């Protein structure tokens, strides 16, 4: 009998469900976008009930479309947009406010006050993170301080906090399971990554001690069983990991020194550092790569807030094309793309700048700048930001000659080739580019015995195409200097 795994991939702009077989072949997929909410400058929200309803819909849809019954699903994995914060009533399951998305910058003033009070080194020492609105803890505080009745509900022991994985798990198990995994916990700014437990000192600092925190598990664990009302049978949830860590697993980056970069709404590069939690001196994050059988593998991470979101803006905001697939042919026709730079700091700049108040700009425009040039600049902006991360990692002592890439953007050969040229490294694109879902499928499958080990999983990884540098390194360095000048034009914290 073939064993199937259902991977739930709840992302920033859409929810997806993918069914894999035991050989990591994708059998079927369903995807549904949901609305983005922008109440104020720098604010980004989602309707939690839209997250839940879209997730349930795609799970039901993929089973119907593939003809696979719930009884044939051996295990379920959940991977999710990280840091996005939801607080909900444990009696009704209703959220008390919209989900505050990882991109949201509303707590930047409070974060700056914490830095001024001298908390930066202690927060980094305990959590591996920089004090920034990006992470969950200050979002939780904002809800308690600003949403009517939220603090009282928390004080009454009625308010659960979770990242998206916890919220979905709670609903899938019909309120029976309030759990998360170590990778998601590590992104809240309230979890001690060395002791692997919620940090009471930080929780009290943020004033969020009254909310109900989820139990922190390994990435491959017994998280609970899906209630039969949702999919037609009770199915165990055995894998949870934040999307970027799931991609690290999906890319089989199990050896220290291996690195992957995922290109979705944002871009996230993660370097496996083994059992060493390396402290970055160049504003990268120390985080949990994955935790299995109680053993933690650490990682260095660089986060770019806007990658695919820049292409989405060119499509939906400027209406330069109707489908992202058109960007490859448009970029091929660009004539002046060497002089046009798009800095997509729509919600500030991430690593290594960490400038929440920076805003976007397009620089180098002339009368003969074309749509093709602007589209090319959008694609290249993602590569330039990746170079920022690579240079920071190199200064922290990383030395790698290859990079594994994944995510929706890497189907674009023009972009991936420019990435190889600019970084002067070999870039490997896997056969399965949606490795976030694949990674959590691996984690779920390990718990039920479909995969026996990480080595077993490594054997299933396969390259679709390998890109080698073709551009003269001096030319690439010159283009990158132009990018650095453009970035310095929009920075507020230089």
């Amino acid at each position: 009998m073939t064993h199937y795994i259902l991977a739930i991939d709840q992302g920033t702009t859409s929810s997806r469900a993918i069914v894999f077989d035991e050989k990591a072949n994708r059998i079927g997929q369903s995807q549904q976008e949901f609305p983005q909410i922008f109440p104020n400058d720098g604010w980004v929200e989602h309707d939690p009930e839209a997250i839940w309803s879209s997730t349930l819909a795609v799970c039901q849809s993929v089973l119907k479309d593939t003809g696979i019954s719930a009884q044939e699903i051996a295990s379920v994995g959940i991977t999710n947009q990280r840091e996005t914060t939801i607080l909900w009533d444990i009696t009704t399951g209703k959220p008390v406010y919209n989900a505050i998305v990882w991109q949201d910058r509303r707590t930047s003033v409070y974060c700056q006050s914490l830095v001024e009070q001298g908390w930066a080194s202690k927060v980094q020492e305990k959590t591996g993170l920089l004090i920034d609105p990006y992470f969950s803890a200050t979002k939780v505080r904002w809800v308690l301080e600003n949403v009517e009745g939220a603090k009282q509900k928390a004080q009454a022991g009625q308010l659960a906090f979770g990242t998206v994985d916890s919220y979905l798990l709670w609903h899938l198990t019909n309120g029976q399971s309030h759990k998360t995994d170590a990778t998601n916990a590590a992104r809240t700014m309230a979890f001690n990554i060395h002791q692997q437990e919620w940090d009471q000192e930080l929780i009290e600092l943020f004033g969020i001690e009254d909310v109900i925190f989820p139990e922190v598990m390994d990435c491959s664990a017994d998280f609970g069983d899906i209630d039969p009302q949702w999919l037609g049978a009770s199915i165990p949830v055995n894998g949870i990991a934040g999307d970027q860590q799931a991609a690290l697993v999906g890319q089989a980056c199990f050896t220290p020194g291996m690195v992957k970069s995922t290109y979705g709404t944002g871009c996230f590069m993660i370097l496996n550092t083994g059992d060493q939690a390396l402290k970055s001196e160049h504003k990268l994050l120390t985080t949990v790569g994955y935790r299995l059988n109680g053993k933690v593998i650490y990682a260095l991470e660089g986060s770019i807030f806007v990658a695919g979101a820049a292409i989405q803006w060119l499509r939906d905001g400027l209406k330069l094309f109707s489908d992202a697939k058109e960007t490859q042919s448009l970029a091929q026709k660009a004539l002046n793309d060497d002089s046009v730079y798009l800095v997509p700091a729509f919600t500030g700049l991430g690593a290594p700048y960490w400038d929440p108040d920076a805003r976007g700009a397009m620089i180098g425009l002339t009368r003969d700048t074309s749509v093709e040039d602007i589209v090319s600049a959008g694609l290249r902006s993602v590569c330039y930001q990746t170079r920022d991360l690579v240079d920071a990692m190199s200064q922290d002592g990383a030395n790698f000659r290859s990079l594994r890439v994944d995510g929706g953007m890497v189907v674009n050969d023009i972009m991936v080739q420019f990435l190889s040229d600019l970084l002067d490294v070999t870039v490997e694109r896997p056969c399965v580019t949606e490795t976030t879902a694949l990674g959590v499928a691996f984690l779920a499958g390990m718990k039920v015995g479909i995969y026996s080990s990480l080595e077993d999983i490594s054997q299933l990884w396969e390259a679709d195409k390998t890109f080698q540098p073709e551009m003269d390194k001096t030319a690439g360095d010159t283009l990158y200097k132009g990018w650095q000048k453009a970035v310095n034009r929009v920075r507020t914290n230089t």
Side-chain angles (χ1 to χ4, degrees):
M1 177 181 171
T2 301
H3 292 98
Y4 297 106
I5 302 169
L6 174 63
I8 296 170
D9 184 357
Q10 203 300 302
T12 308
T13 57
S14 68
S15 300
R16 278 181 302 182
I18 302 178
V19 173
F20 293 97
D21 68 13
E22 58 215 17
K23 298 296 184 184
N25 298 308
R26 182 167 51 183
I27 304 303
Q29 172 178 320
S30 179
Q31 182 168 352
Q32 185 175 310
E33 291 193 359
F34 57 87
Q36 307 294 299
I37 303 167
F38 307 103
N40 286 303
D41 178 37
W43 292 28
V44 189
E45 297 177 359
H46 295 154
D47 177 354
E49 295 186 341
I51 290 176
W52 162 234
S53 63
S54 63
T55 298
L56 181 60
V58 294
C59 288
Q60 294 171 339
S61 175
V62 75
L63 294 183
K64 181 181 178 182
D65 293 346
T66 57
I68 294 171
S69 69
Q71 289 82 356
E72 293 176 276
I73 302 295
S75 186
V76 173
I78 301 172
T79 184
N80 56 288
Q81 51 167 317
R82 304 169 306 168
E83 299 95 16
T84 295
T85 299
I86 306 174
L87 282 84
W88 67 94
D89 186 305
I90 60 166
T91 303
T92 65
K94 295 291 185 184
V96 296
Y97 188 73
N98 277 340
I100 303 181
V101 180
W102 56 272
Q103 299 158 309
D104 189 280
R105 314 305 288 167
R106 75 186 65 189
T107 64
S108 59
V109 173
Y110 173 63
C111 287
Q112 184 58 38
S113 73
L114 291 174
V115 172
E116 291 168 357
Q117 291 168 38
W119 282 98
S121 60
K122 177 162 278 193
V123 168
Q124 185 176 18
E125 176 189 323
K126 290 185 171 200
T127 69
L129 308 177
L130 305 175
I131 294 177
D132 191 84
Y134 180 23
F135 307 109
S136 309
T138 63
K139 302 179 195 295
V140 178
R141 178 184 183 275
W142 187 93
V143 173
L144 294 178
E145 295 292 325
N146 292 277
V147 175
E148 186 176 351
K151 182 172 285 188
Q152 291 77 6
K153 198 178 286 279
Q155 290 171 341
Q158 291 293 303
L159 200 58
F161 152 67
T163 43
V164 170
D165 58 303
S166 297
Y167 177 74
L168 291 178
L169 181 70
W170 195 92
H171 279 280
L172 286 166
T173 62
N174 206 23
Q176 296 303 301
S177 186
H178 186 39
K179 298 179 179 179
T180 189
D181 83 297
T183 68
N184 277 296
R187 312 298 296 190
T188 60
M189 210 161 66
F191 185 74
N192 189 310
I193 62 171
H194 309 288
Q195 298 176 0
Q196 289 292 296
E197 61 185 24
W198 297 115
D199 191 286
Q200 286 306 124
E201 181 183 20
L202 295 181
I203 286 171
E204 290 173 12
L205 168 68
F206 301 129
I208 58 176
E209 62 272 19
D210 291 328
V211 299
I212 303 170
F213 281 75
E215 180 184 356
V216 182
M217 313 286 286
D218 286 348
C219 301
S220 181
D222 293 318
F223 288 97
D225 297 321
I226 295 178
D227 192 287
Q229 68 175 306
W230 303 125
L231 299 178
S234 177
I235 313 171
V237 178
N238 296 121
I240 292 182
D243 51 10
Q244 304 314 317
Q245 284 89 343
L248 188 74
V249 174
Q251 288 280 34
C253 292
F254 301 132
T255 304
M258 295 186 75
V259 62
K260 72 90 205 173
S261 195
T262 298
Y263 297 90
T265 303
C267 164
F268 304 87
M269 179 177 285
I270 300 189
L271 171 74
N272 183 326
T273 63
D275 57 8
Q276 300 296 310
L278 298 182
K279 180 181 177 182
S280 173
E281 301 298 332
H282 298 90
K283 296 189 176 181
L284 299 175
L285 306 176
T286 306
T287 195
V288 174
Y290 49 88
R291 192 178 95 186
L292 298 172
N293 300 316
K295 182 182 178 183
V296 182
I297 296 297
Y298 292 98
L300 271 184
E301 177 177 335
S303 308
I304 296 168
F305 297 151
V306 175
I311 305 305
Q312 191 178 40
W313 173 69
L314 293 175
R315 182 193 70 187
D316 301 338
L318 299 190
K319 302 191 185 304
L320 301 186
F321 47 86
S322 58
D323 192 315
K325 294 175 183 175
E326 298 172 46
T327 59
Q328 179 160 317
S329 60
L330 287 168
Q332 282 176 320
K333 298 171 186 173
L335 299 176
N336 303 298
D337 53 356
D338 289 356
S339 60
V340 180
Y341 290 89
L342 170 62
V343 184
F346 303 142
T347 55
L349 288 168
Y353 308 105
W354 294 105
D355 185 346
D357 298 317
R359 289 296 177 264
M362 200 178 301
I363 293 168
L365 301 178
T366 63
R367 280 290 299 272
D368 60 348
T369 297
S370 65
V371 167
E372 291 83 358
D373 297 330
I374 293 171
V375 170
S376 178
L379 294 172
R380 288 186 170 198
S381 73
V382 178
C383 302
Y384 290 129
Q385 291 178 98
T386 305
R387 170 77 178 260
D388 289 338
L389 301 182
V390 167
D391 284 4
M393 283 187 178
S394 297
Q395 291 173 61
D396 277 330
N399 182 24
F400 51 89
R401 299 301 303 167
S402 67
L403 172 68
R404 291 184 173 180
V405 298
D406 54 74
M409 291 191 74
V410 303
V411 297
N412 189 315
D413 284 2
I414 292 285
M415 191 206 88
V416 182
Q417 182 59 57
F418 186 72
L419 185 64
S420 177
D421 291 339
L422 191 68
L423 303 183
D424 196 36
V425 300
T426 300
V427 177
E428 297 177 297
R429 182 174 65 197
C431 290
V432 179
T433 57
E434 300 303 343
T435 49
T436 53
L438 180 61
V440 83
F442 285 148
L443 292 168
M446 286 180 71
K447 189 63 182 175
V448 294
I450 294 175
Y451 309 111
S452 60
S453 65
L454 297 181
E455 292 73 24
D456 193 14
I457 291 170
S458 293
Q459 298 301 312
L460 296 172
W461 189 91
E462 190 177 352
D464 164 58
K465 188 172 181 178
T466 300
F467 297 80
Q468 301 290 351
E470 296 176 354
M471 182 184 290
D472 177 74
K473 187 176 185 303
T474 304
D477 290 344
T478 300
L479 287 171
Y480 181 61
K481 286 177 183 174
W483 163 258
Q484 291 176 304
K485 290 179 182 177
V487 168
N488 285 335
R489 296 272 289 273
V490 306
R491 290 181 64 187
T492 65
N493 63 359
T494 52

